Amino acid sequence: GAAGGGIGDLLGGLLGQKAEGQTLPEPGSIGGKARANDAMAQGRSKGPMRSSTRNEDLAAALILRAMVQAAKCDGDLDAGEKAKLFKNMGDASPEEVAFVKAELERQVDVDGLARQGPSGMEEQIYAMSLVAINLDNKTEAQYLHNLATALELNQNDVNALHDKAGVNRLYR
């Protein structure tokens, strides 16, 4: 976009939103494993907008991909959920809208998503997947388990992310 630009800035807008009744976890807040990347930190800053870098855009695209995959993991992404997703995108550019639409058409691929993530973003990817869904069925729980396994997150860290997000723990 002209004012700030890039999917990194779009993600910043999405991170500023709360999922219904949920507080978004701070990147890197659990176990110190994940580190906040510049795109996410800029998205929450009160400072002037700046154009995102290519690395920030790639990180933001990965997080959006994680959110979209999680939202459709139970095979039931209805019109209301799609509308909510696009509403949260606000004044996204046509390129950003096209990116999300393309992601909605892709198959859910947990292993592929995990492979795309650079080291240090595992907990961010998981946390954003978690807040993108209402964890209310076995299919979603299985998706999150598969994602945690693919990202090589241990059960204690996963439960800590759930606690931070105010969502029922995955593991007992």
Side-chain angles (χ1 to χ4, degrees):
I7 203 161
D9 294 331
L10 167 64
L11 179 64
L14 288 173
L15 289 174
Q17 304 282 331
K18 285 188 180 179
E20 297 175 69
Q22 298 173 331
T23 302
L24 296 175
E26 291 293 321
S29 63
I30 305 298
K33 181 178 176 188
R35 301 290 176 247
N37 68 41
D38 293 338
M40 297 185 69
Q42 176 66 26
R44 281 188 301 279
S45 77
K46 301 294 183 205
M49 293 288 286
R50 62 168 175 75
S51 292
S52 56
T53 67
R54 175 160 170 70
N55 285 341
E56 290 169 342
D57 285 350
L58 292 173
L62 180 64
I63 298 236
L64 278 173
R65 182 170 289 132
M67 294 173 72
V68 170
Q69 280 198 31
K72 65 182 193 169
C73 74
D74 62 359
D76 187 28
L77 184 67
D78 62 31
E81 290 170 318
K82 280 185 182 178
K84 179 180 172 186
L85 177 64
F86 286 107
K87 178 181 178 236
N88 284 335
M89 291 179 64
D91 60 349
S93 73
E95 293 140 343
E96 292 160 346
V97 171
F99 173 82
V100 171
K101 285 182 178 180
E103 286 303 311
L104 288 169
E105 297 302 316
R106 290 177 68 161
Q107 294 291 327
V108 173
D109 179 10
V110 172
D111 292 328
L113 178 64
R115 279 191 308 271
Q116 291 172 346
S119 180
M121 282 192 66
E122 297 87 357
E123 289 182 358
Q124 293 171 6
I125 292 167
Y126 185 90
M128 297 312 296
S129 295
L130 177 61
V131 299
I133 61 175
N134 293 322
L135 182 54
D136 59 4
N137 67 55
K138 189 173 183 171
T139 303
E140 292 168 340
Q142 186 63 50
Y143 172 82
L144 290 173
H145 168 74
N146 292 345
L147 181 60
T149 300
L151 292 170
E152 299 179 359
L153 296 174
N154 69 51
Q155 292 181 0
N156 290 333
D157 286 344
V158 169
N159 281 341
L161 288 167
H162 283 244
D163 292 346
K164 185 83 171 168
V167 178
N168 289 333
R169 289 180 167 204
L170 193 59
Y171 303 109
R172 297 183 194 267

